Amino acid sequence: MFKFLQQVGDYAKGAANAAKYIGQGLSVTFDHMQRRPVTVQYPYEKLIPSERYRGRIHFEFDKCISCEVCVRVCPIQLPVVDWEFDKASKKKKLHHYSIDFGVCIFCGNCVEYCPTNCLSMTEEYELAAYDRHELNYDNVALGRLPYKVTQDPMVTPQREFAYLPKGVTDSHDLPKGSQRAGSRPEDLVDQMKKEAEQAKQEEEATTQS
Amino acid sequence: MTSGIDLQVSFIKTLTDMGLPQGAAKALWIPLPMTLMVIGAVVGVLVTVWLERKVSAAAQQRIGPEYAGPLGVLQPVADGVKLVFKEDMVPAKADLWLFTLGPILVVVPVILSFLIIPFGQNMVVTDLNVGIFIWISLASIAPIGLLMAGYASNNKYSLLGGLRAAAQSISYEIPLAFAVLAIAMMSNSLSTIDIVEQQAGYGILGWNVWRQPVGFLIFWIAALAECERLPFDLPEAEEELVAGYQTEYAGMRFALFYLGSYINLVLSSLIFAVLYLGGWEFPIPLSQFSDWLGVSQDTSWLQVLTASLGIIMTILKAYFLVFIAVLLRWTVPRVRIDQLLNLGWKFLLPVALVNLLLTAALKLAFPFAFGG
């Protein structure tokens, strides 16, 4: 009898606990209702891609020396380099170059290893097409530069989370000229220059004395 | 209590004064509340769908529908129009008749149940003396439709979904009926009007929530399960069963299911409001207001005011419950099928029985507070 009563008591306690947890959960959901939306209203607002964004690859035809390093470092040997050896100049002559972005995984190895820096990553990510073969970009398509989000009059550019001032989590209605937390690359370069100058002066001072 | 305005009596009186026989005047009156109820139910669904999408969006820090009409209020209409224009698909080897009959059998009883929802003293389509019982009996027709739809679709997911829906509805109908029974016992009547009347007079303190603290929880859980709302949406659990019995449905047939599930939610909220939250009653007893103002309760403008306030109160209470249901949807994870049946049979049923017995005992012990 006592054991049964204890069982009933445990069961009641369990039910009460479950109710408590559901109540806590409800309070969390309710609290979320009064927070501002974090969504970016895509076609009207767009995020500014970060400077290391790995978007569609840009290719400069005149810089390419047809060395095929990009093909070798590519996980699937994707770039197609169509060249011919020109006996007169004893150099490879590039005819065509293409990358199929329907297959590319945007790992950036080709960009990393290109000896002449003729490959680079852009911030373009809107690659939708009606036919997958349209994603096979030839050297002309690869040479086009994407349109910048910040220059598009139809789009309100939004900063990404890491580029917001310290403590700010919403990219809407930022005060003008607000900067992200930490120093910007330009500031760092200036600072390094100053430090180098200072070191030089100190060195001169020590040699003179 | 005054009877308030009675539209039926005044309408028939006007027509008989104009020279129509009594029977013809009555026949003219009958379709009016019915069409009004159907329109009200459909508009209620549109509002609920909009509310669900907006509240869900807010809970997830999104914006939700925004471009269809101001604040996206026309989004449910756009959804409906899209469904109307979709292709009418019937899967191969499906039973066309049962496939069509399934959704109809789900929607019609739910709309029929609106007959007994009171919005005021005389603001009800029919004041049946079996009242709330007809809702319970009509609600048990829906699983047949779900099973029919699941079986006729010629799809394993649909069949499983249909079976689950039937199992769920059957096991949660019993605690639901017990919770309602406790209320019926306290108000000595099954009529929804009487149930609200019994809660009247003391404002918010007289509502049944205080007299049935366990009962209203049981009722709410069981009602959520009946509506297949999120903690209990197993019949259409998309991760397991694609969409349950709705898998093969598209176009108007799907729209009927969609409409049915939302009407059911509104209906359950309305019934909850009637049973536990005092129906059309204002939180402060209105008869005191007229005493303070020093006007008779028979004044016409006061009666119009109380009637419209009653409708607003009922709808407000119902939509508060819809809001709670949506909030619960994003709070509570889905239960497993064994947990669902365990909860139904091993927890809700005994607790509902104890609640019923306790109510009976309290009714005998304190007849003044528990409706002697």
Side-chain angles (χ1 to χ4, degrees):
Chain A
M1 187 64 197
F2 178 70
K3 204 181 166 194
F4 174 73
L5 281 180
Q6 198 177 13
Q7 269 179 339
V8 170
D10 288 348
Y11 197 76
K13 215 180 271 172
N17 267 336
K20 197 180 88 182
Y21 295 142
I22 290 175
Q24 283 174 347
L26 272 177
S27 71
V28 169
T29 346
F30 192 75
D31 182 63
H32 271 255
M33 304 242 308
Q34 55 205 5
R35 300 189 189 179
R36 279 198 69 167
V38 292
T39 41
V40 175
Q41 299 300 304
Y42 169 61
Y44 311 103
E45 293 176 354
K46 284 178 188 172
L47 283 179
I48 307 166
S50 63
E51 60 264 63
R52 293 194 182 188
Y53 190 82
R54 298 209 301 254
R56 196 208 79 205
I57 290 159
H58 180 260
F59 174 71
E60 273 179 84
F61 190 83
D62 298 339
K63 273 191 187 174
C64 183
I65 54 168
S66 315
C67 65
E68 290 199 5
V69 159
C70 48
V71 184
R72 268 180 280 150
V73 296
C74 180
I76 47 168
Q77 286 81 46
L78 186 61
V80 178
V81 191
D82 173 22
W83 55 267
E84 202 179 9
F85 189 70
D86 183 22
K87 278 182 181 159
S89 61
K90 290 183 180 174
K91 272 180 183 166
K92 289 175 184 173
K93 188 172 184 319
L94 183 61
H95 292 311
H96 300 284
Y97 186 93
S98 66
I99 297 176
D100 187 351
F101 288 112
V103 191
C104 178
I105 60 165
F106 302 95
C107 64
N109 276 355
C110 48
V111 177
E112 198 79 9
Y113 282 91
C114 181
T116 57
N117 278 341
C118 67
L119 289 170
S120 56
M121 287 298 204
T122 65
E123 50 190 46
E124 187 184 349
Y125 51 85
E126 288 149 327
L127 295 171
Y130 282 105
D131 186 332
R132 70 191 163 93
H133 301 296
E134 284 171 30
L135 292 171
N136 194 352
Y137 280 42
D138 66 350
N139 44 28
V140 179
L142 283 169
R144 289 194 187 109
L145 280 169
Y147 204 77
K148 267 187 148 183
V149 178
T150 40
Q151 285 166 355
D152 194 338
M154 294 289 287
V155 172
T156 320
Q158 298 290 324
R159 292 203 212 169
E160 280 176 351
F161 190 69
Y163 295 87
L164 296 175
K166 197 177 180 185
V168 179
T169 51
D170 187 25
S171 60
H172 300 84
D173 312 325
L174 278 177
K176 237 182 172 175
S178 51
Q179 289 205 344
R180 69 174 161 101
S183 338
R184 293 165 62 89
E186 304 94 273
D187 302 341
L188 285 176
V189 169
D190 285 349
Q191 203 185 329
M192 278 162 74
K193 268 185 193 162
K194 257 183 219 163
E195 276 170 13
E197 250 171 56
Q198 215 170 2
K200 211 176 174 184
Q201 279 174 2
E202 274 171 24
E203 207 178 316
E204 276 170 19
T206 44
T207 46
Q208 274 175 7
S209 63
Chain B
M1 274 312 286
T2 50
S3 60
I5 37 177
D6 194 336
L7 286 175
Q8 182 179 5
V9 170
S10 37
F11 181 86
I12 291 171
K13 195 164 174 296
T14 331
L15 283 188
T16 41
D17 286 352
M18 281 161 68
L20 251 76
Q22 182 88 15
K26 242 181 184 164
L28 270 179
W29 163 257
I30 285 170
L32 288 180
M34 285 199 247
T35 30
L36 197 67
M37 217 61 244
V38 171
I39 293 168
V42 173
V43 171
V45 166
L46 295 181
V47 175
T48 312
V49 171
W50 177 79
L51 197 73
E52 164 131 53
R53 294 181 72 153
K54 273 295 191 191
V55 172
S56 304
Q60 297 168 359
Q61 296 183 47
R62 294 186 284 116
I63 294 176
E66 213 190 14
Y67 295 105
L71 288 173
V73 281
L74 294 179
Q75 190 64 46
V77 183
D79 289 352
V81 170
K82 184 204 80 171
L83 284 175
V84 169
F85 283 109
K86 275 185 92 166
E87 190 187 350
D88 188 31
M89 289 276 289
V90 178
K93 287 187 183 170
D95 191 315
L96 179 63
W97 274 101
L98 292 182
F99 192 68
T100 315
L101 205 59
I104 295 171
L105 217 58
V106 172
V107 172
V108 169
V110 183
I111 295 182
L112 262 185
S113 306
F114 269 90
L115 280 179
I116 54 146
I117 303 292
F119 288 95
Q121 192 67 38
N122 295 301
M123 305 260 179
V124 62
V125 182
T126 45
D127 181 16
L128 291 172
N129 57 356
V130 286
I132 203 73
F133 185 66
I134 205 168
W135 172 60
I136 291 175
S137 44
L138 281 172
S140 55
I141 295 177
I144 300 172
L146 301 179
L147 205 56
M148 210 179 257
Y151 203 1
S153 294
N154 186 27
N155 179 320
K156 291 177 184 100
Y157 293 121
S158 300
L159 181 58
L160 274 174
L163 285 173
R164 274 191 184 186
Q168 182 172 328
S169 297
I170 287 165
S171 38
Y172 278 79
E173 231 150 57
I174 300 164
L176 189 75
F178 276 133
V180 172
L181 204 58
I183 294 284
M185 201 155 67
M186 284 194 334
S187 39
N188 297 316
S189 169
L190 285 165
S191 153
T192 42
I193 303 263
D194 290 348
I195 288 171
V196 176
E197 297 253 285
Q198 176 258 341
Q199 302 174 56
Y202 299 99
I204 194 167
L205 293 175
W207 295 354
N208 273 337
V209 199
W210 312 116
R211 275 179 282 192
Q212 287 284 324
V214 183
F216 97 89
L217 275 177
I218 293 167
F219 184 91
W220 184 236
I221 294 171
L224 282 180
E226 286 281 302
C227 299
E228 284 148 23
R229 292 292 304 180
L230 197 82
F232 309 108
D233 72 336
L234 289 137
E236 42 203 284
E238 60 265 24
E239 291 87 356
E240 307 165 29
L241 295 177
V242 190
Y245 54 85
Q246 300 174 359
T247 309
E248 295 288 353
Y249 280 86
M252 269 324 280
R253 294 195 185 92
F254 173 75
L256 280 184
F257 269 134
Y258 194 71
L259 198 69
S261 71
Y262 278 102
I263 298 184
N264 207 355
L265 178 65
V266 176
L267 178 76
S268 300
S269 305
L270 279 169
I271 296 219
F272 189 98
V274 166
L275 290 184
Y276 294 98
L277 300 179
W280 65 80
E281 290 294 324
F282 199 67
I284 304 154
L286 270 183
S287 51
Q288 288 186 5
F289 265 125
S290 55
D291 291 348
W292 291 338
L293 292 171
V295 278
S296 160
Q297 285 191 19
D298 297 328
T299 332
S300 56
W301 65 265
L302 192 73
Q303 285 197 348
V304 171
L305 194 74
T306 39
S308 41
L309 200 65
I311 295 172
I312 291 168
M313 278 321 290
T314 319
I315 290 171
L316 261 185
K317 284 167 188 171
Y319 275 100
F320 171 70
L321 291 163
V322 170
F323 170 74
I324 298 280
V326 177
L327 210 60
L328 267 173
R329 174 179 177 178
W330 299 113
T331 307
V332 190
R334 179 187 303 134
V335 294
R336 281 198 317 265
I337 185 77
D338 59 319
Q339 292 171 331
L340 175 95
L341 294 177
N342 267 348
L343 182 71
W345 291 106
K346 289 187 183 171
F347 180 71
L348 287 186
L349 185 61
V351 171
L353 262 175
V354 168
N355 181 51
L356 185 64
L357 288 176
L358 211 65
T359 313
L362 284 170
K363 182 177 158 133
L364 288 177
F366 309 101
F368 56 94
F370 288 87

